Amino acid sequence: MPRITQSSCHIHRAVLLAWLAAWVLLPAAVPAADPPEALRDRTKSDFDEQAIHALDFMLTLSLTREQARDILPIIEDACRLHLDHHRRLAETQPERIEAYTAFLEEDRLNQGFSPKVERRAAQVHRQGVAIRDERAAALNDLSDRVWEHLTDEQRLAAEEYKPRREAVSDALATRSEKLRAARHRALRGETRPPRHHDGNRALDEARRERAELYRSVHEMPDNIATYLLSPAAAGWLYKRAGEERPDVVRRAVECQKNGTSDYPLEQCKKDDTTARALSREINNWNLVNGMHFSCEQIEELIRLIHKAENLKVALRHSRPPSGMSRRDYNAAMVQLELAAEDALNPGQLEVLKNYHPCLVPPQNLKNPVRVGQAADNTQMTRWLQQARTKPERRVEIMIDQLLEKEEHRFGEFGPDELERRRNLLRDTVRKAADMDDVEFALNKDALAEAIQPTNPLRELVGRIDELSRARLMPGNTAKFLLHKEMAEVLRIRHQQLTGPFASQRSRAGTEAAGASAHE
Amino acid sequence: MPRGATRTNRSKTVHDLTRRAFLGTLSRCGLGACGFCAVAEWDLQRALAAERPESGPRREVEFFETLPGGAVRCGICPRHCVLNDGETGACRSRVNLGGRHYSRGYARPCIIRADPVEKIPLGHFLPGAETMTVAVGGCNLHCLYCQNWQHSQARPDKLKTFDLPPDEAVEAARQKGVKVIAFNYTDPVAFLEYAKDVAVAARKAELRIVAATGAYIEPEPLLDFAQYVDAITIGLKGFTNDFYETVCDAKLDGVLNSITTIANKTDCWLELVNLVVPTYNDDPATIREMVGWIRRNVGCETPLHFSRFVPMYRLTNLPRTPVTTLESACRIARDAGLKHVYTANIAPHDGANTYCHKCGASLIQRLGLKILENHIADGRCPKCRSPIPGVWK
Ligand SMILES: [Zn+2]
């Protein structure tokens, strides 16, 4: 395997990037133009940005021609994957929008969901998550194949690579443009430490942990998958290998640039934006439906949201040092958050405290609280009911299966944690098995509650909320309630509460049901 | 063949058939006629039961009349089912065996659970107290929206059951450390014999008894049972006979009679619950009439819960009750002078909380079945010291 270190790359990276950008991205289209000028017209294109990041990544790795050749079949597979992903989006996105729209319509009425509408929304949501996760998993498999062809140094570089925002401007700008851009960034306050850095180690750690945990539950494409296995990287790799791009690669590049004739990129992006907006609105309605706000509460919340929005505008347009600082903004926002919490009753506060957004809230007939992912021990009760009657060997298998499922849902356990959890499950099953049927019936809920798995992601969200509050920063109440999309939802709910809000379904259907049941 | 059974004519035609003829009719009707089959299920069971030997524990019913020819007339509920040898009553739980009237499924509950007393619902009885809740299959009402139809609309001996004689029920409750035994999920009227024996044993052991019932029952058996009961929540399901006949397969008068009986002739703590079904019983004028009746006949201190309907059983084509409907029902009841009016089966909602009827102070804050705050001290409002009606210790 070739061993080329980063130090062997003597040319300044920015110069090389600009040169490569001109060479790879625009060879045919604008051969005579000055690369930065030509690229500047196209900086709005995602494809170009992706291509530049891909170049930056490859420069970091310093791939040899032999390596590039070895990787080409993998790139071809990645291109196939990309085309297939686009095809799946074309098939599912319009349906997703349709299903979410129907769900939203019923959500707005707050009279429950037709089983068909509810099932469909949950189905397309799951499908969307599956498509995303499957793509990530498939790309990461390809990434593993690329990994085989890299040297240890390259592997390390790939692992540690962080996309540089400057990579794009390095490739695009002249020196004076860079200076101008830097001055703009300084004016916007971007030269200061990252925006979320607030000097609180606990809070930073919790945030980092949350991000890691999220990545461990939902497979995300790694750096190689993101930067090297993108069609945007294909052009460079084929040039590096000195080979012609096959048809599938050309098609994938075209697809990433413009989409396909039956599902143009523009439409794909539009659909994605629409689906995301619908999903956000559904979440807002779910929360409002679940909280059962009174008119007075809604009026107060809308008033507070207006204030919060004004604050956000003030922060956005402030010019340091005289303008509003983030600290001032946080303090004012916390005041609004406290005012919002004062407007809620203890039950609503309790719900908000445990609220975790969820597209289709699970129905739990034992508990009328149906908002977010309300905790429900029904599944654990059933599991326990089965396990208590099984022989020990079978119980161990059940525990293994359960742990595997939990790791899949919530991320991997540490070795100590895994052992603790296994022992808890084992002990609880034994306890349940020692009980007679009546005793178990009376204690099953308590036992199930004791072994109910905790979702570490949700715990972290709670911890971040608490740490933020301790640092006088706004927490979840502001995040979930004090934003302008929520104001719109609240305004409609207010109208519904004060105006005529009759049952939407007809009496005729009802009578038919009554007749069929008793006559 | 039952004579003079109080079922309506439409089902009497089914009773009059032999099993063979009945099954023939059924197949001619086509099994796809689901609605018909659903009603006929009960009758089918009844027809089949006549030819099937009875098994399982049972206890003789206390209230019945022997008729000539080995028939019995049940005296528990206003239906007064007349049953020939081997026939089962409308509740699916009482049967004529050899000219004697038996309660089927005795000591064989299909549900045993630990629930808070709020589940009944009871708002003014030992807030937050844990109960051992017991239910036996069967019910003398056939509500189209029944939330527990799998148990209530089934023959008790056809369900998966526990073996729990009354003294063992009390022992189980004591072991669990609960102070209250509850009858909920199905109607104790259908398993009155067992419920009463458990209540008697519980009284001896100083445990309390609470019950949720549709109260479609004759005064005599009701009083006999109620003397051992500490609190009872009666489902006043609607306020027109039409509603009761269409939705519950019962009659309004029988239920009103039970409510006044409990209110005026017993020491039982009484609460009422009205499940508001969109387009069926949500008419404000009828609600006004109902709360007026409650005020005149039961008093303004009896808590009234307006419960949210959730599509269930045979009424799945209806929406859930709009929150505004529940809120306006509460307003109507308060305007009529009722002091403690609640929303139920909806959370978090301010209507589920208890406020002092005198000074408006917040007394109990609830979230679903959970008590978040309870400020009642010695049965009084902590602010104005007014006594709050209810059982607080
Ligand atoms: Zn008071």
Side-chain angles (χ1 to χ4, degrees), chain B residues 355-363 380-388:
Chain B
Y355 293 95
C356 174
H357 54 274
K358 205 132 191 210
C359 72
S362 162
L363 300 176
R380 288 174 183 277
C381 166
K383 204 167 154 201
C384 70
R385 304 297 300 154
S386 295
I388 309 299

Side-chain angles (χ1 to χ4, degrees), chain A residues 3-189:
Chain A
R3 293 179 61 84
I4 293 181
T5 60
Q6 274 177 270
S7 58
S8 67
C9 184
H10 297 295
I11 310 168
H12 189 269
R13 190 194 274 181
V15 176
L16 190 58
L17 260 174
W19 176 74
L20 283 171
W23 178 51
V24 174
L25 295 174
L26 305 154
V30 271
D34 174 40
E37 277 297 317
L39 270 171
R40 203 182 310 137
D41 295 340
R42 303 181 46 181
T43 44
K44 286 189 192 79
S45 152
D46 289 348
F47 182 84
D48 291 344
E49 262 194 42
Q50 282 160 0
I52 289 162
H53 282 307
L55 281 172
D56 193 38
F57 182 70
M58 285 184 282
L59 285 177
T60 308
L61 258 57
S62 311
L63 289 177
T64 64
R65 184 176 289 265
E66 290 73 26
Q67 282 179 312
R69 273 194 193 132
D70 290 340
I71 290 170
L72 291 187
I74 310 173
I75 282 283
E76 240 177 88
D77 284 349
C79 285
R80 264 182 216 106
L81 206 67
H82 183 81
L83 287 168
D84 188 53
H85 180 67
H86 186 78
R87 182 188 53 76
R88 287 181 83 183
L89 288 182
E91 281 167 7
T92 54
Q93 293 245 76
E95 198 198 347
R96 189 166 157 217
I97 290 172
E98 220 173 89
Y100 283 4
T101 306
F103 189 80
L104 180 62
E105 266 170 33
E106 298 202 350
D107 213 3
R108 282 194 187 124
L109 294 175
N110 192 21
Q111 293 181 353
F113 299 102
S114 327
K116 205 173 145 197
V117 168
E118 185 173 8
R119 236 186 347 256
R120 197 166 160 226
Q123 212 174 343
V124 297
H125 175 65
R126 273 199 304 274
Q127 191 182 43
V129 173
I131 288 176
R132 193 189 61 199
D133 287 358
E134 279 165 26
R135 175 175 180 259
L139 276 174
N140 285 347
D141 284 348
L142 295 179
S143 161
D144 289 346
R145 281 169 58 193
V146 172
W147 184 263
E148 294 298 313
H149 297 285
L150 302 182
T151 64
D152 287 348
E153 287 86 349
Q154 285 172 323
R155 287 172 180 175
L156 188 70
E159 284 285 281
E160 289 182 344
Y161 176 78
K162 284 206 169 46
R164 300 176 307 126
R165 212 189 278 182
E166 313 86 77
V168 178
S169 50
D170 280 350
L172 302 181
T174 60
R175 191 167 172 273
S176 63
E177 281 171 327
K178 275 187 211 169
L179 283 174
R180 209 164 46 235
R183 215 164 43 230
H184 275 297
R185 280 205 299 276
L187 275 174
R188 287 200 303 266

